[in-house]
Amino acid sequence: MTGDRRSRIHLSRLYSFSLVRSIFRDEHSQIGQKGYSRVVYCNDPDNPKQLQLKCSSNYVSTTKYTVLNFVPKSLFEQFRRVANIYFLLVGFASFSPLAPYSATSTLAPLLVMIAATMTKEAVEDWRRKKKDIEANNRKVEVFGRNHNFQETRWKNLRVGDLVKVYKDEYFPADLFLISSSYDDGICYVETTNLDGETNLKVKHALNATAALHDDHSFLQFKAMIKCEDPNEDLYSFIGTLFYEGQQHPLSQQQILLRDSKLRNTDCVYGVVVFTGHETKVMQNATEPPSKRSMIERKMDKVIYILFGILILISFIGSVFFGIETKNDIRDGESKRWYLRPDNPNLLYDPKRATLTAFFNFLTALMLYGYLLPISLYVSIEMVKVLQSIFINQDPDMYYEETDRPTHAQTSNLNEELGQVDTILSDKTGTLTCNSMEFVKCSIAGISYGRVMTEVERALAKRKGNVLPEGGYTSPDEYMDSGKSCKGFNFNDERVMNGKWVHESHAYVIQKFFRVLALCHTAIPDINQETGEISYEAESPDEAAFVIAARELGFQFYERMQTTISLHELDYQSGQIMDRSYKLLHVLEFSSVRKRMSVIIKNAENQLLLLCKGADSVMFERLANDGRVFEAATRDHIKHYGEAGLRTLVVAYRELSEEEFKSWEDEFLKTQTLVTADRDVLMDAASDKIERDLILLGATAVEDKLQKGVPECIEKLAYAGIRIWVITGDKMDTSINIGYACSLLREDMKQIVITLDSPEINDLEKQGDKEAIAKASGASITKQIREGKSQLNSAKESSVSFGLIIDGKSLSFALDKNLEQSFLELAINCASVICCRSTPKQKALVTRLVKMGTGKTTLAIGDGANDVGMLQEADIGVGISGVEGMQAVMSADFAIAQFRFLERLLLVHGHWCYRRISMMICYFFYKNIAFGFTLLWFEAYASFSGQPTYNDWYMSLYNVFFTSLPVIALGVFDQDVSARLCLQYPLLYQEGVHDICFSWIHILGWMLNGVISSMIIFFVTTNSVLHQAFRRDGHVVDFEVLGVMMYTCVVWTVNCQMALSIDYFTWIHHFFIWGSIAFWYGFLLVFGAVSPIISTTAYQVLVEACAPGPFYWMATLLVVVSTLLPYFSYRAFQIEFRPTYHDIIQRRGSDGSETRKKTDPAKDNFGEQETLLAK
Amino acid sequence: MNSNTPSTSAGGTGSADSTAPRRNSKRPKYSRFTQQELPACKPILTPKWVISAFLLVSVIFIPIGVVSLFASRNVVEIIDRYETDCIPLDSRNDKVGFIQSPQDKTCNRTLTVPKRMKQPIYVYYQLDNFYQNHRRYVKSRSDQQLRNPGKEDDTSSCDPEDTTADGMRIVPCGLIAWSLFNDTYDFTRNNQPVTLNKRDISWKSDRDHKFGKKVYPKNFQNNTLVGGARLDPSKSLSEQENLIVWMRTAALPTFRKLYGKIEVDLQAGDVINVELQNNYNTYSFNGKKKLVLSTTSWLGGKNDFLGIAYLVVGGLCFFLAMVFTIIYLVKPRQLGDPSYLSWNRNPGGR
């Protein structure tokens, strides 16, 4: 077993640099004081003192509600919406004589609506609950009273428990690491769930406890930890261990955090320090900011307007009512005597007309309440959930390789997807795969590797070169010939398959790959069954090197405590030999040093320093006689950089025994230093030996672009979406990637803003911070101004610009004073690339764009460093890639590949935007059309507050007769098919320009509602007037007029829906015609129940309306004339001012017949280009 | 214990992982429904469609309009407004005083039949400016009491006409019943009385289900202030059809209500004498009173509005169809000409 082997070796020396010494820092003095009051009695959770501290249990609940508070809390949540409060007040008021309707009919729809929303909440919460139950019931081994480890559930853990965690298990709580299966007490931890980083982190037990290895040794183990209180800082821990009479300082190195995973270590022993909600990860779990879409925010405004209208018409009505009531008694004589004005009550008192009018105002507020769509919120929520299901279920956005479909984490923002103006994208892992492939290398001044990178291909395409036929262009071609494997995409017949031995510089090649095989910190993992070796490396780059070395005959297969073993191909004998190297020192990689070295002793007792690092630091360290290939290598590195590759320079030197000895003494001395500047001194010490290197060559690895990225970006650009790439990469790499993914084009002018100028560099060397800041600020201001003038001068020509800015400049450009002008410059550029930017800058840039332009921004990223950006943007899209789940968890949508963004935005976004905005407009329309008929009727009823219709017709209006078709519209409607959406990306601009939810559009629909209500009321009343409406002489009375008008309303709003949707499936037909049929059905059934309940609806259809032709003829007339204005408007609009989707619809329907002969896609794209050129 | 399968971190060859068969693939199942590719008709308002739709409407509407107009024109209607004429000249300064006085209010009216009227001829009274739809008025009734003899006490909704001054329950209670219309008409032709059938003038459902056969008027119009007609306490409510008709409140302030039916034909030129009791007070609120005799057609009474409206809408549609046809012929537009797009000039910074 590998584990057994590993437990024999001490790896601590390998990590000599990363090892943090146990030092008492300043903070330790605070232990026991405020903020540092936690005391843990290790292995003694039943200690009365421990119990006294009342630490929380390890039971974790992430649900929003509990069984007890569900009802009050969810009700409270719902009534935070103004409209709902209004409906609740109306509900209460309906019990008073003020109410125009009966209480039940008022409350029923409210209750239905609240019940629907609460059910939704309950279902969502139940899902969270199930996850919690799963987590709480995971098993872990705890050292029990009978002195052995027993399984228990996570939720039963208490502070002070001693637990044993096995390989690949999650830690159940924040643990203090006592020891591991390794002798030196280290263990490997994967923290993907915490920070998204996939590399393994090393945790180190205290030397004092590292020896506690087997179960029996814990019998007598007693210790006490005093440490900080629970907090959310993942990267620090302050505590003191009191063990065997001694105090040991504890740091974050000894803490294993909940939700991270034990890797490569058989088992660890730990003591529970923080449990449940006190764990760092739980303390970190802040609610992601709740985002509301632009449409919803606008909708709120419209609802306020409707409120305004409601109050206004109620007021006007009550004024009229007051006047008329006052006139009912004049000179002591009753006018309308049949109302008995001489015998008044509170609601009708001619002598106190003002008071009467006030009560009438309250009544009217309730009466016209139908202007406010009670079911709007719940309908929208239902529709959005269904839309999300469509997004989740789209097989075109499913990624086979990782088995991940697209997932909408929130359904709030579906329609916002259709309005994105700017996309802010991360690069690594988002545009690229974040898996490094060894593509090229330069050894001894000769460049090897014939695979063309994507950037190269893009470059070649741009220059118009024909790609060499049959050359080594496509990596796929050679997949079969060589051993293909992940991380290796190298092809050159000169060196592959052991042929390198025939090269003239074979000895250099040997050294080169030896460096790659030895100079790293990876650990081999041999698959027991197949014998294949995989590597666990700190970074994907490093893994690529080890794999490359393996593929070329330097297979690294074993790492012992101080030795590294390789299967080596010997170039002299051509045989595979086993060689072991003694590992003396590892000088680790850091971002300051930009290089890494190992010092080894080979079988011939030669001391070698093998080094790899960035070109900027390596060339200056070369020995004078080691520069043989420098010029050629530099040249190659430049080419590789242009091809979008990451390069590292590889070099070595031989050390003499004395030199090494003297250096080692000094180095070890520094290592044991306990001062603050230890790291600096260590760097200096390493620096002393990493010099006089002999150049071997350079490597080039490619972070491949994801499949379909250039095409997707091109499509999105055609859709008029601005794309900004914000990356931590170097400027050159970023620019090249920009070309590769067609973000930058050859015909674009580049505006580069950088601080990498000689003057600034000079100042930096002097180190005067103030002067640097001043000079930098001035330089940036100047550069921005120049950029703007460049833009202005090019306004007339069709040149587009690409802006490239580096992180340092960005920090100045984001300054309050420069912010605006920077933004102005940036939004006028077609593409913006920010390189070398920090996570914080990512979020700042996002905020700048969001606030500055007021347009919708979408951020897309995959790593923990993108979280700020994702949360800041209007929409955050997380890529569920290799970098863990952090980004996905804080994102609103999770997709597996960048290219799915195209479909998500252009198809789903566009559809959802149109659907939701149409749905809301239609909601306003139907409620206004209905509500205003009440108002017109009131004008003929002295504004006395008598509703035209039966209570139940009205209360079922929003729930049954009109709601289902709207939901069908919101879920299924599509103006153009998915294929056409993608074919005409410009269609997307409809959302960006908010065509479907502009104020004009909304007000237009509202006006249409008012017109409809007028036509319905006046045409109906005039056609019935006072004459008989049947052959048997009956005249139209209150009951019949109500049914007639209501029938017209139901028909009209449903037919209006049928007119305005573009897509009829059987579902639409079913809902629209079903709703109308339902009205008649309802009237039949309701009319048949006792007249005490049905009152005015009793038998009204069967007896009065249906038998005569008049009712049906009036319905036909009213419905057709109500629809006529909208229909004519649409007909004229399509003819004279067609919107883009009208054109495409028409083209789509005609194109399917006539355009078959030519290639439609190409043809249309060509058209679009000319269209864009205008 | 190892419930979580180990996944190789980046950099490994990962061969072991990818070869493992994936039992639960999360691949969404393809269906036309979830892909939103259900068979659908996508109506597009092309000129042809628009023109055909307009033409269709006009082709249907114009004939209907003509037919309805004919139906309306065939109805013979005699309207006699009498509220002023039936006040003696000397009382016209104080109409309200006259109507409230106990003196005899008989009034004779003469109607001439302009055209032959086939039976049944419906006799209506028409009131004007009378708000039977006022909330206070509409609510002032008790359906329970009208229907159920056991619920006589259910007068809570009848305010202010729920009880007499001495607290006795009124049946039928409420303002509507209290203000029952009480003008009466008697018709004679050539000194022969014309019988007026006052049965079957209400809705059958009202007689059978809303007004009880065993509910008899009690304490009705016993208050000092008498509203309208009195009821025969010996007849059950379901038999008192004038009350039933009155209690079906009108929707609008001008309304007609059936008074009775004349079941003989009237010939053109016939002179009909009406002996009229002008009892009902519409003078307080300046309301008109009219007596209406009308035949019916299949479409009901005389009202040209419906026919004219059909003709107007049909004509308008025809006009629009013509306009579109002309546009279509004179200036046929290119298929999907995009030159109207407002954002063309600044296509998103490109």
Side-chain angles (χ1 to χ4, degrees), chain A residues 338 340 745 915 1103 1113, chain B residues 36 131 161 205 310 350:
Chain A
Y338 52 89
R340 290 296 300 269
R745 294 189 313 265
R915 286 168 184 168
E1103 191 187 32
M1113 285 174 62
Chain B
Q36 310 183 50
Y131 287 84
E161 283 296 328
S205 66
Y310 262 105
R350 280 191 67 115

Side-chain angles (χ1 to χ4, degrees), chain A residues 38-50:
Chain A
R38 158 103 9 157
V39 182
V40 181
Y41 297 90
C42 302
N43 205 12
D44 194 12
D46 295 317
N47 190 319
K49 282 183 201 158
Q50 185 75 67

Side-chain angles (χ1 to χ4, degrees), chain B residues 288-341:
Chain B
K288 296 170 202 149
K289 284 198 278 192
K290 286 174 187 166
L291 171 64
V292 180
L293 276 73
S294 171
T295 60
T296 53
S297 67
W298 58 273
L299 202 54
K302 192 179 190 67
N303 185 356
D304 293 349
F305 181 85
L306 194 69
I308 292 170
Y310 262 105
L311 284 177
V312 167
V313 173
L316 190 67
C317 285
F318 185 74
F319 171 73
L320 287 170
M322 290 302 108
V323 170
F324 267 89
T325 314
I326 291 165
I327 291 171
Y328 186 55
L329 292 177
V330 172
K331 194 189 144 226
R333 277 169 45 80
Q334 292 275 306
L335 269 184
D337 181 359
S339 58
Y340 290 98
L341 294 174

Side-chain angles (χ1 to χ4, degrees), chain A residues 40 157-163 173-176 270-275:
Chain A
V40 181
L157 281 188
R158 291 166 302 168
V159 171
D161 267 333
L162 184 73
V163 297
D174 289 354
L175 306 177
F176 156 64
V271 170
V272 176
V273 178
F274 297 127
T275 46

